[in-house]
C-alpha cells in the first residue's frame, strides 16, 4: 500500500517556476505509519497510471482551474482499485461534485494540515468517513513542508507560507471567504527554520506564498484607535510586530537569498514596512492593481486602490524602496472600454512595473462576483453542450469559452484579442530588455529575459491557439525555456548553514507585548553562517 499525492495539470513543462507548497505540506501531514508518500506534480510530468495499485490511497488537491483534470485522475485511480480522497479550495466549495465526477471516496474540506492525517489513518483502518472538516487552523498549527521529498532539479523557486487569510473583501477573490478575513500568522521562528533548510539544499529564491503579506495597514490601526477598540488595536499591533520580527530575521540570512511575496497596494503608504522588506531581501511582490480607473476599482470593491496618476506614483513608490512589482490587471470589467487596454499597458510601462499579468475577468466560485452571476443565470440559464455555463470548469478546454459573463459593449473575442495584444506589447523583447536593467549583472539580466518570456508563455493563456499542432509547438518551446531558466536559478548548497538558536521567551510569541506599547520586538537569535566562495 502506498500514499500518492497528486497536483493535477493539463500542461506539463518538465520544470516549474514555484513549488506547489500544499504537496509537500500534506506529505508532512501524512502519518509515518503510511510511509513516505509518492508525490506527483503534473506541471512537471503527468501521472503514470501503472504506478497506482489496488488499496493505494490517492490524495488529489483541486482548484477551479484544474478540477476537470483532477477528476480524470481520480476516476483513473479508482478504476485501478485505489482509495481516492480530494482536498483543496474547489473540493471545499463543491464536495459533492468530487463524488459525482471524480470517483471520490472522501473529501477533506478546509485546511489539510491536521485533517489529511486523520483521513489517511482512518483509510488504513478501514473506517474512512465521507467528509473531513479541516476548518481554519491556527498559525501555530501550520506544518513545515517535507522538502526532503522534493526533486531539487525541477523547480526554480521554493515556497514558504507565513500567514493565511486576508482582511480585504475584493469581489473577484475567494480567499477572504475561504481562508477568512482574520489573519492566521505562523510564528516567525518556524518560518526561518524552514527557509534555512531550503538554503542548505541549494534554494536561494523563495516565494513567501501568503494570501497577503501586508495584513495590517496604517488605516486599520487608525480605525481601531478612532473607535477606541483597545482589544483590536492590541491584536493588530501584535500582528504587525510579528511581521517586523520576521523581516528582521530574514535580513540576517545569507545575502544571496531573494524573496518574493504578495501584498496589497496599501503597503505603498507604509515606507517603514517597505524599507523592512528591502532589508529582508524581499525583492518583489505581486500587487493586485486590477484596474486603472476609479470606475473599474469600484466594480471590484477595491476603492482603497489608487487610479490614474496617483496609481503610477504609488507603484513607483514600491520601486523607490527596492521592491519590484508584479502588477496584476483584470480585463473584461463592465466599465472597460476599448481605450482601457492601451491605457492599462501604458500605465504599467510608465509606472515601472517589473512584471505584469493581464487576466480576463473570471467569476471564481466562492467570490461575490460568482454568487451574483449564478443568481443571474438562474433566471436565464446558458448551456455549453449539456453543461451550465456556471460550471464552466467542467467544460473541456477545447470548447470552453474565453469569457463567461457578457460585456455591455465588447464581445468576448474582442476582449480576448485586445488582452493578448497587451501581453505582447508588455513582453516584447525591447521592453523586457529595458526592464532587465534592474538586475545587478549580465547573468541576472539574461535570467530576467528568459523568465519574462517564460512567464508570458505559461500564463498568457489567451494567446494559445486551440489548434493542437500549435499548442504542442508552444508547449515544446515553453519546456525548453523552462529548462534553461532553471539553470540560471541554481545555487550552491549551503549544508553548513545553521538554524538560529531561539531563546525560550521568543519561542512563545503570545507572550510579547504589542508594538504600540513597547515598540518592535528584537528576537534574540543568531545564525552560524560560513561565507560563500
Amino acid at each position: 500500500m502506498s500514499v500518492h499525492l497528486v497536483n493535477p495539470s493539463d500542461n506539463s513543462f518538465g520544470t516549474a517556476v514555484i513549488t506547489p507548497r500544499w504537496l509537500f505540506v500534506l506529505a508532512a501531514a501524512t502519518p509515518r505509519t503510511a510511509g513516505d508518500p509518492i508525490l506527483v506534480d503534473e506541471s512537471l510530468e503527468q501521472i503514470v497510471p501503472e504506478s497506482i495499485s489496488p488499496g493505494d490511497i490517492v490524495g488529489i488537491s483541486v482548484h477551479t482551474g484544474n478540477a476537470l483534470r483532477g477528476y480524470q485522475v481520480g476516476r483513473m485511480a479508482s478504476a485501478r482499485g485505489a482509495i481516492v480522497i480530494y482536498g483543496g479550495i474547489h473540493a471545499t466549495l463543491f464536495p459533492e461534485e468530487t463524488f459525482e465526477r471524480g470517483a471520490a471516496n472522501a473529501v477533506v474540506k478546509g485546511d489539510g494540515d491536521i485533517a489529511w492525517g486523520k483521513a489517511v489513518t482512518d483509510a488504513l483502518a478501514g473506517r474512512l468517513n465521507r467528509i473531513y472538516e479541516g476548518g481554519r487552523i491556527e498559525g501555530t498549527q501550520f506544518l513545515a513542508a517535507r522538502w526532503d521529498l522534493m526533486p531539487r532539479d525541477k523547480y526554480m523557486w521554493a515556497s514558504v507560507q507565513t500567514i493565511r487569510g486576508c482582511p480585504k473583501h475584493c469581489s473577484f477573490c475567494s480567499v477572504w471567504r475561504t481562508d477568512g478575513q482574520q489573519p492566521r500568522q505562523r510564528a516567525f521562528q518556524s518560518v526561518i527554520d524552514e527557509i534555512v533548510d531550503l538554503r542548505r539544499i541549494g534554494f536561494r529564491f523563495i516565494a513567501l506564498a501568503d494570501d497577503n503579506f501586508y495584513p495590517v495597514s496604517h488605516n486599520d490601526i487608525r480605525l481601531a484607535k478612532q473607535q477606541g477598540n483597545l482589544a483590536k488595536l492590541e491584536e493588530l499591533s501584535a500582528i504587525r510586530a510579528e511581521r517586523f520580527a520576521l523581516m528582521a530575521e530574514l535580513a540576517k540570512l545569507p545575502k544571496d537569498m531573494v524573496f518574493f511575496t504578495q501584498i496589497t497596494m496599501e503597503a505603498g503608504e507604509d515606507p517603514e514596512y517597505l524599507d523592512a522588506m528591502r532589508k529582508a531581501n524581499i525583492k518583489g511582490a505581486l500587487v493586485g492593481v486590477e484596474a486603472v480607473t476609479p470606475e473599474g476599482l469600484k466594480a471590484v470593491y477595491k476603492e482603497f486602490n489608487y487610479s490614474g496618476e496617483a496609481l503610477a506614483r504609488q507603484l513607483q513608490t514600491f520601486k523607490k524602496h527596492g521592491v519590484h512589482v508584479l502588477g496584476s490587471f483584470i480585463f473584461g470589467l463592465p466599465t472597460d472600454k476599448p481605450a482601457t487596454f492601451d491605457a492599462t499597458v501604458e500605465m504599467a510601462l510608465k509606472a515601472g512595473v517589473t512584471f505584469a499579468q493581464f487576466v480576463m475577468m473570471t467569476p471564481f466560485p466562492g467570490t461575490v462576483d460568482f454568487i451574483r452571476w449564478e443568481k443571474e443565470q438562474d433566471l436565464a440559464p446558458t448551456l455549453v453542450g449539456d453543461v451550465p455555463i456556471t460550471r464552466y470548469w467542467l467544460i473541456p478546454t477545447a470548447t470552453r469559452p474565453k469569457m463567461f459573463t457578457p460585456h455591455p459593449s465588447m464581445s468576448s473575442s474582442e476582449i480576448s484579442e485586445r488582452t493578448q495584444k497587451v501581453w505582447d506589447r508588455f513582453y516584447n523583447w525591447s521592453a523586457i530588455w529595458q526592464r532587465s536593467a534592474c538586475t545587478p549583472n549580465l547573468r541576472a539580466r539574461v535570467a530576467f529575459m528568459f523568465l519574462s518570456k517564460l512567464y508570458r508563455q505559461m500564463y498568457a493563456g489567451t494567446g494559445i491557439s486551440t489548434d493542437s499542432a500549435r499548442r504542442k509547438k508552444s508547449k515544446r518551446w515553453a519546456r525548453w525555456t523552462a529548462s534553461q531558466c532553471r539553470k540560471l536559478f541554481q545555487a550552491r548548497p549551503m549544508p553548513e548553514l545553521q538554524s538560529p538558536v531561539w531563546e525560550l521567551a521568543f519561542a512563545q510569541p503570545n507572550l510579547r507585548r504589542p508594538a504600540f506599547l513597547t515598540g518592535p520586538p528584537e528576537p534574540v537569535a543568531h545564525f552560524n553562517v560560513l561565507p560563500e566562495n
Side-chain angles (χ1 to χ4, degrees), residues 508-529:
Q508 302 178 53
N510 292 336
L511 297 182
R512 294 195 202 94
R513 287 166 63 77
F516 79 97
L517 296 176
T518 63
E522 276 297 326
V524 181
H526 70 271
F527 286 91
N528 180 9
V529 185

Side-chain angles (χ1 to χ4, degrees), residues 192 243-253 276 280 521-523 527:
I192 297 298
R243 296 278 89 187
F244 276 98
L246 169 62
M247 290 188 284
E249 294 306 308
L250 289 175
K252 300 175 186 177
L253 287 163
E522 276 297 326
F527 286 91

Side-chain angles (χ1 to χ4, degrees), residues 3 68 143 149-150 155 157 173 179 223 235 317 323 373 393 410 429 441 464 522:
V3 175
L68 192 60
L143 292 180
L149 299 178
M150 174 178 54
Y155 297 100
W157 291 61
C173 182
D179 278 358
L223 286 174
E235 175 193 342
T317 298
V323 179
W373 177 53
W393 55 87
M410 290 182 283
W429 283 111
N441 53 51
I464 297 178
E522 276 297 326

Side-chain angles (χ1 to χ4, degrees), residues 132-456:
Y132 289 83
E133 295 285 354
R136 298 171 186 165
I137 63 174
E138 295 298 322
T140 53
Q141 297 174 298
F142 293 179
L143 292 180
R146 283 283 306 273
W147 296 122
D148 58 302
L149 299 178
M150 174 178 54
R152 302 175 192 176
D153 61 341
K154 296 295 184 181
Y155 297 100
M156 301 178 209
W157 291 61
S159 54
V160 174
Q161 190 173 45
T162 78
I163 196 166
R164 294 178 193 171
C166 179
K168 304 306 175 186
H169 58 277
C170 305
S171 70
F172 57 85
C173 182
S174 64
V175 165
W176 62 278
R177 296 177 66 87
T178 56
D179 278 358
Q181 291 183 280
Q182 175 62 40
R184 293 171 288 140
Q185 188 160 238
R186 189 177 170 194
F188 69 83
Q189 295 92 338
S190 63
V191 174
I192 297 298
D193 287 343
E194 188 174 348
I195 291 172
V196 169
D197 285 342
L198 284 164
R199 186 62 190 90
R200 284 174 180 158
I201 62 176
F203 279 89
R204 69 184 188 92
F205 291 87
I206 310 288
L208 302 176
D210 299 331
D211 297 323
N212 182 359
F213 191 79
Y214 186 63
V216 177
S217 68
H218 278 325
N219 190 52
D220 295 330
I221 291 177
R222 183 163 52 248
L223 286 174
K225 287 181 178 178
Q226 288 175 352
Q227 295 165 359
N229 190 338
L230 294 181
K232 186 66 174 179
L233 182 59
E234 184 168 340
E235 175 193 342
L236 294 175
S237 298
I239 293 172
R240 182 176 170 86
E242 183 80 12
R243 296 278 89 187
F244 276 98
L246 169 62
M247 290 188 284
E249 294 306 308
L250 289 175
K252 300 175 186 177
L253 287 163
K255 297 305 178 186
D256 70 340
M257 298 202 72
V258 176
F259 299 96
F260 178 89
T261 191
Q262 177 172 283
I263 55 179
T264 58
M265 183 75 75
E266 292 169 303
E269 301 171 0
D270 195 338
E272 181 187 13
Y273 201 88
L274 293 180
D275 286 341
M277 289 177 65
R278 175 180 51 78
K279 292 174 184 176
N281 289 316
I282 302 174
K283 303 287 189 182
L286 188 153
V287 178
V289 182
E290 321 316 347
V292 301
T293 66
E295 297 80 13
L297 293 172
K298 185 176 181 180
V300 295
Y301 298 3
K302 208 160 186 175
E303 294 98 325
F304 56 84
N305 269 12
Y306 288 95
S307 61
E309 289 298 320
L311 170 61
R313 289 193 297 272
Q314 186 84 330
L315 290 170
Q316 289 164 355
T317 298
F318 286 91
K319 194 170 182 178
K320 289 176 182 176
H321 287 269
V323 179
H324 293 278
V325 169
L326 191 169
S328 181
F329 301 86
I330 297 175
F331 289 134
L333 300 174
T335 57
D336 284 351
K337 299 176 178 61
T340 302
F341 297 84
D342 287 337
T344 298
V345 71
E346 290 286 353
M347 173 64 68
L349 293 169
K350 179 180 180 180
V353 171
T354 308
F355 285 87
Q357 61 183 29
F358 308 95
V359 299
M360 294 173 65
M361 181 67 184
T362 301
F364 284 107
T367 66
V368 171
D369 287 341
F370 185 88
I371 294 170
R372 183 168 51 209
W373 177 53
E374 200 170 33
K375 288 179 179 178
E376 292 170 355
Q377 279 291 311
D378 284 344
L379 301 175
T382 301
L383 296 178
V384 179
D386 60 348
V387 180
I389 192 67
T390 54
R391 296 298 179 268
Y392 59 84
W393 55 87
L394 299 176
I395 303 170
T397 53
T399 56
R400 189 180 300 171
K402 292 293 185 184
M403 284 195 67
F404 312 108
T405 56
H407 192 274
S409 62
M410 290 182 283
S411 68
S412 295
S413 60
E414 182 181 359
I415 294 171
S416 177
E417 290 169 6
R418 290 182 180 277
T419 299
Q420 190 57 48
K421 288 179 181 178
V422 170
W423 275 100
D424 292 343
R425 183 175 172 191
F426 189 84
Y427 284 101
N428 68 47
W429 283 111
S430 175
I432 296 172
W433 177 252
Q434 290 181 32
R435 290 194 295 274
S436 71
C438 67
T439 58
N441 53 51
L442 181 60
R443 176 184 171 86
R445 199 162 189 177
V446 171
F448 184 97
M449 298 285 289
F450 268 100
L451 189 61
S452 293
K453 280 296 185 181
L454 178 63
Y455 189 85
R456 182 216 172 280

